[in-house]
Amino acid sequence: MTTTSITQVLPRVLFVKRHAAMGVLGDSFVASTKFEVLKAFESPLPLPEFLADQSHPVSAIIAPVAVPVTADLIRLLPNLRLVVTTSTGVDHVDLVECRRRGISVANAGSSYSEDVADTAVGLLIDVFRRISAANRFVKQRLWPLKGDYPLGSKLGRKRIGIVGLGSIGSMVATRLEAFGCQISYSSRNRKPSFPYHYYVDVHEMAANSDALVICCELNDKTLHLINRDVFAALGKQGVIVNVARGGIIDEGEMVRCLREGEIGGAGLDVFEDEPNVPKELFELDNVVLSPHCAYTSLEGLEQLGKVLVGNIEAFFSNKPLLTPVL
Amino acid sequence: MESIGVLMMCPMNSYLENELEKRFNLLRFWTSPEKSVLLETHRNSIRAVVGNAFVGADAQLINDLPKLEIVSSFSVGLDKIDLGVCKDKGIHVTNTPDVLTEDVADLAIGLILALLRRLCECDRYVRSGKWKQGDFKLTTKFSGKSVGIIGLGRIGTAIAKRAEAFSCPINYYSRTVKPDVAYKYYPTVVDLAKNSDILVVACPLSDETRHIVNRQVMDALGPKGVLINIGRGPHVDEQELVKALTEGRLGGAALDVFEKEPHVPEELFGLENVVLLPHVGSGTVETRNAMADLVVGNLEAHFSGKSLLTPVV
């Protein structure tokens, strides 16, 4: 008996910009026998020409934050059916346009929530205990010259207000509980399964906190959520940690507050206009800066690769997405 | 009590100095150009010594002070005090346990995160403007990694509790197995190092624990393993550590303590897989005040014939 084999065309998945993970994991980052990856970044052609050159149209796109999925980009991809982001945040995807065209969207889910939570805690301890500043002090050979380093501030019993109690925020909470911190949170909705004090209003939470940790998504309601009033409520000893999106904080106002000593310090992984960081922050010892890499551990990115591949394979086998947004 | 001579060995905390000065005749050892003259002049009035992790009371000092009744250390570590001589002479010794446990444990975790996630290097990367040229490289995840703790006393236990919140399996080495503890015991430090991603030194310094982290332990920890020292510098064979790091046989180290503070081996300054701190384990305003209160409290209790708050000997 013979069987007729039907040559199936594998779905084409567009990868516009090389992802940091590929430098270490190579092509295995998003390899699959069930789809073909088109690496536009390996071609000298501009994107429209690159696409025109393809034998089969693109039906899915891997969208890192650096490649916003705008209406213009979607227009270049008339057969697009799926967007998978390499981030949990989807603020760089035109969801309205996707919804209009019936394009499904999946995100990174909680692939690297632990890593982001770990970094948030690391930044908080660094600011309170002056770790990066003291490491600089020692490596600049100042210890024998200047003697003891100025004292930091104890983390135990500090009141920490978490803005956004999703997968990342809740992991930050459970970690900080082990340090004896008192946790409260502000979120769109109360989360009764968590034992922490809930604040409807971020301003009120700031007034009752020693530090704020930003873990929420960026959207219309959270743009510049952390503003002058919130900083005033947080106060001179207050610390802010941001591992979410730069736009959630009024950056100019934060810089002013830090320079004038109106808040006590900051640990920042994200900024309004990356990779540009306000130069005024470089003069400050009570600020710890990070180049948006809270999520980039090798292990976290391996997990991200699995989620990306899993979502694409599920979609094209007509199975439910693992981490759907739309 | 104003006539009681209290000899403070080095500058350690101005709040402590002020509180001692209010109550006693405070003598500052470091301000005297001729220390032997100071001791000779005041040998009959000095009844207490206040030392810390850097300078304590060795046999020579104790023998030079015939009226010495109590040594009150502004530290929990007692390695700078000759406990044998104190015991022989009936001199009381007190330290500052418990009040600094949390700070030291917090710092241990802070160091692990700073090292594995390269927080200090990331900060340097941004400040140098390099981010405009490209992203920082991948770092190593902390959550879920195995943590091996040398010494499961107050500080070791507090470190374990924090690491558990990061889903880290906990291993430990101790002189004896701790029966009520759910963590995995290893009978030797080499075994502990072989089976842990992160090795933390958290035991007291004694003759037995000097260089407890030696070349063999470092090789067992290996090029993917990291060492965290919040104990005492002499716990680690520092020369071997420098070699292990510069030769790539050890994955990284985060150190708050060194064999000859404030001297730190030059070779470590240029390494991006090394975090160095100037002995700040208990270095917060809140904890140093609490430690100072204990030192003063112990001295007051002794000189009013009451029970010592935190006696060692």
Side-chain angles (χ1 to χ4, degrees):
Chain A
M1 206 157 77
T2 55
T3 41
T4 329
S5 65
I6 300 159
T7 315
Q8 277 202 300
V9 174
L10 292 179
R12 298 299 199 259
V13 178
L14 181 64
F15 212 162
V16 176
K17 192 167 189 241
R18 189 186 170 86
H19 193 273
M22 296 183 85
V24 176
L25 300 170
D27 287 347
S28 67
F29 176 52
V30 278
S32 169
T33 52
K34 303 204 173 98
F35 56 84
E36 195 177 309
V37 178
L38 300 177
K39 286 177 267 176
F41 53 82
E42 282 181 352
S43 164
L45 296 172
L47 189 59
E49 278 88 329
F50 173 81
L51 291 170
D53 217 28
Q54 298 306 312
S55 52
H56 297 281
V58 163
S59 43
I61 182 170
I62 295 174
V65 172
V67 181
V69 181
T70 59
D72 286 341
L73 178 58
I74 295 172
R75 209 167 295 124
L76 280 181
L77 307 167
N79 293 71
L80 186 67
R81 294 169 55 211
L82 171 68
V83 173
V84 277
T85 64
T86 60
S87 54
T88 314
V90 289
D91 45 282
H92 62 295
V93 178
D94 187 337
L95 295 175
V96 170
E97 188 64 13
C98 288
R99 199 175 280 118
R100 196 176 74 77
R101 288 174 181 255
I103 298 170
S104 300
V105 179
N107 68 357
S110 57
S111 321
Y112 42 68
S113 292
E114 282 181 317
D115 284 305
V116 179
D118 289 356
T119 301
V121 174
L123 288 172
L124 190 69
I125 303 177
D126 195 325
V127 176
F128 275 126
R129 299 299 301 273
R130 306 177 183 249
I131 295 179
S132 286
N135 173 66
R136 265 200 297 281
F137 176 78
V138 175
K139 290 192 177 187
Q140 284 166 6
R141 298 163 174 78
L142 294 174
W143 193 10
L145 292 177
K146 293 202 168 178
D148 285 341
Y149 197 73
L151 298 178
S153 182
K154 186 180 166 105
L155 188 58
R157 272 166 286 288
K158 288 269 191 308
R159 301 160 303 162
I160 314 294
I162 301 178
V163 181
L165 203 71
S167 131
I168 295 171
S170 57
M171 287 186 189
V172 171
T174 47
R175 279 150 178 71
L176 290 177
E177 277 189 294
F179 292 79
C181 294
Q182 298 171 51
I183 310 294
S184 61
Y185 72 102
S186 182
S187 202
R188 264 174 310 196
N189 305 302
R190 188 186 283 269
K191 312 228 172 188
S193 58
F194 289 102
Y196 318 124
H197 186 90
Y198 173 64
Y199 285 96
V200 172
D201 176 40
V202 173
H203 180 269
E204 203 196 332
M205 184 165 75
N208 290 286
S209 299
D210 301 303
L212 292 180
V213 182
I214 315 301
C215 301
C216 60
E217 66 171 57
L218 175 63
N219 56 39
D220 295 338
K221 296 202 173 60
T222 63
L223 181 66
H224 282 199
L225 175 69
I226 311 301
N227 57 19
R228 164 182 288 219
D229 290 341
V230 174
F231 286 126
L234 187 58
K236 288 192 189 315
Q237 314 283 336
V239 168
I240 185 133
V241 168
N242 191 3
V243 291
R245 286 286 179 271
I248 297 167
I249 295 182
D250 179 343
E251 198 163 275
E253 185 58 31
M254 176 181 61
V255 171
R256 189 193 67 76
C257 287
L258 284 163
R259 292 186 82 199
E260 293 173 21
E262 284 175 28
I263 60 168
L268 310 166
D269 184 50
V270 286
F271 304 86
E272 290 209 73
D273 180 36
E274 296 168 15
N276 297 305
V277 173
K279 277 198 297 298
E280 297 92 325
L281 296 178
F282 300 165
E283 302 154 20
L284 303 172
D285 252 4
N286 59 343
V287 172
V288 182
L289 305 166
S290 175
H292 201 156
C293 58
Y295 67 104
T296 56
S297 79
L298 176 62
E299 298 88 334
L301 291 178
E302 281 172 337
Q303 184 57 24
L304 170 65
K306 289 194 183 112
V307 170
L308 285 176
V309 169
N311 271 308
I312 299 171
E313 288 184 354
F315 185 80
F316 290 112
S317 339
N318 295 316
K319 295 204 183 91
L321 290 170
L322 307 179
T323 50
V325 173
L326 267 190
Chain B
M1 290 191 191
E2 290 81 7
S3 60
I4 297 172
V6 174
L7 180 65
M8 195 178 205
M9 300 308 295
C10 65
M12 46 187 88
N13 184 275
S14 41
Y15 166 71
L16 175 60
E17 271 183 57
N18 293 339
E19 292 302 301
L20 289 173
E21 198 142 51
K22 281 184 208 166
R23 295 163 172 78
F24 307 107
N25 177 23
L26 181 65
L27 300 159
R28 295 172 177 78
F29 195 60
W30 68 95
T31 60
S32 172
E34 280 296 335
K35 302 203 170 24
S36 50
V37 171
L38 178 122
L39 291 176
E40 187 55 42
T41 312
H42 298 280
R43 69 198 302 270
N44 289 321
S45 72
I46 294 175
R47 292 166 64 187
V49 162
V50 172
N52 69 354
F54 298 98
V55 186
D58 59 15
Q60 168 148 30
L61 181 75
I62 296 168
N63 287 326
D64 283 341
L65 300 172
K67 304 286 194 217
L68 185 62
E69 295 168 26
I70 178 169
V71 176
S72 189
S73 195
F74 186 67
S75 70
V76 68
L78 299 160
D79 44 285
K80 288 291 199 296
I81 298 172
D82 194 322
L83 294 172
V85 170
C86 286
K87 212 167 176 185
D88 290 341
K89 290 181 174 252
I91 295 169
H92 295 288
V93 178
T94 67
N95 64 350
T96 60
D98 297 320
V99 293
L100 49 65
T101 301
E102 291 178 346
D103 267 359
V104 178
D106 291 352
L107 194 77
I109 303 295
L111 281 174
I112 294 173
L113 285 164
L115 180 60
L116 260 50
R117 302 308 307 280
R118 294 290 190 269
L119 295 181
C120 308
E121 291 301 309
C122 278
D123 180 86
R124 205 160 81 113
Y125 192 78
V126 176
R127 285 170 194 260
S128 69
K130 290 208 179 93
W131 192 14
K132 298 198 190 187
Q133 292 150 26
D135 286 333
F136 195 76
K137 59 189 178 149
L138 301 191
T139 55
T140 306
K141 186 170 177 160
F142 172 37
S143 277
K145 292 286 161 62
S146 54
V147 175
I149 305 176
I150 303 174
L152 207 65
R154 287 173 290 245
I155 293 173
T157 302
I159 292 171
K161 176 175 157 218
R162 283 151 178 72
E164 281 189 294
F166 292 81
S167 311
C168 297
I170 309 292
N171 309 317
Y172 74 102
Y173 163 82
S174 202
R175 278 171 304 187
T176 53
V177 183
K178 309 255 166 180
D180 306 317
V181 146
Y183 312 135
K184 190 161 163 72
Y185 175 74
Y186 284 92
T188 69
V189 181
V190 170
D191 281 341
L192 182 69
K194 238 187 250 165
N195 291 283
S196 305
D197 299 308
I198 302 162
L199 186 66
V200 185
V201 184
C203 59
L205 179 65
S206 64
D207 291 335
E208 290 85 46
T209 62
R210 189 175 176 279
H211 284 194
I212 195 172
V213 179
N214 55 20
R215 184 182 172 123
Q216 216 193 345
V217 171
M218 293 177 215
D219 285 342
L221 198 47
K224 288 212 165 81
V226 300
L227 174 69
I228 312 294
N229 191 3
I230 45 84
R232 285 288 179 266
H235 276 129
V236 175
D237 183 339
E238 206 161 89
Q239 281 190 337
E240 282 298 334
L241 178 66
V242 171
K243 276 197 246 160
L245 287 165
T246 52
E247 292 168 19
R249 286 183 286 111
L250 181 63
L255 313 166
D256 185 43
V257 287
F258 305 86
E259 292 210 78
K260 287 188 165 46
E261 295 168 19
H263 172 75
V264 174
E266 274 286 323
E267 299 92 325
L268 298 180
F269 292 144
L271 299 177
E272 58 88 38
N273 58 340
V274 169
V275 177
L276 305 170
L277 294 185
H279 201 151
V280 292
S282 62
T284 65
V285 172
E286 297 89 334
T287 292
R288 292 286 169 84
N289 283 354
M291 288 164 66
D293 288 342
L294 262 184
V295 169
V296 172
N298 273 302
L299 291 177
E300 281 189 316
H302 171 76
F303 290 115
S304 5
K306 300 202 181 92
S307 308
L308 295 174
L309 307 179
T310 47
V312 176
V313 171

